[in-house]
Amino acid sequence: MPPSTDRQTDPTAVSASLAAEAALLEGRLSLLREAIDTVDARIDAVSEALRRLQHSAAGPADGKPRSGQASDTGPGRSKANRP
């Protein structure tokens, strides 16, 4: 099939168009990288907060409640009655 004569392409115009599109895509890529960095930082912050909460809720390693804290098996919460 012979090339279409109604759509002659100017290599200079094509090059300029591709360069403009590449610049636009690089800008979008930069914005996406910044957004990913923001999400990563937020994930790290939330993960750290969850670790601190889990650590503070876990209690001491010996299994005894901290002073001033009730145990999980207090009145009405015996191990036998747990779901």
Side-chain angles (χ1 to χ4, degrees):
M1 185 168 175
S4 175
T5 57
D6 61 339
R7 279 188 62 191
Q8 301 257 338
T9 55
D10 177 20
T12 305
V14 170
S15 295
S17 175
L18 289 174
E21 188 172 349
L24 179 66
L25 291 174
E26 285 177 354
R28 288 181 180 169
L29 179 60
S30 178
L31 289 175
L32 288 172
R33 285 182 175 154
E34 289 176 15
I36 288 170
D37 289 343
T38 301
V39 170
D40 283 344
R42 184 68 182 140
I43 288 171
D44 289 343
V46 170
S47 295
E48 180 60 29
L50 289 173
R51 277 192 292 276
R52 283 193 307 263
L53 286 172
Q54 187 177 22
H55 179 70
S56 67
D62 62 4
K64 295 180 184 176
R66 296 179 190 169
S67 61
Q69 283 187 328
S71 74
D72 285 351
T73 58
R77 293 192 51 128
S78 71
K79 290 182 180 180
N81 291 338
R82 287 188 182 173

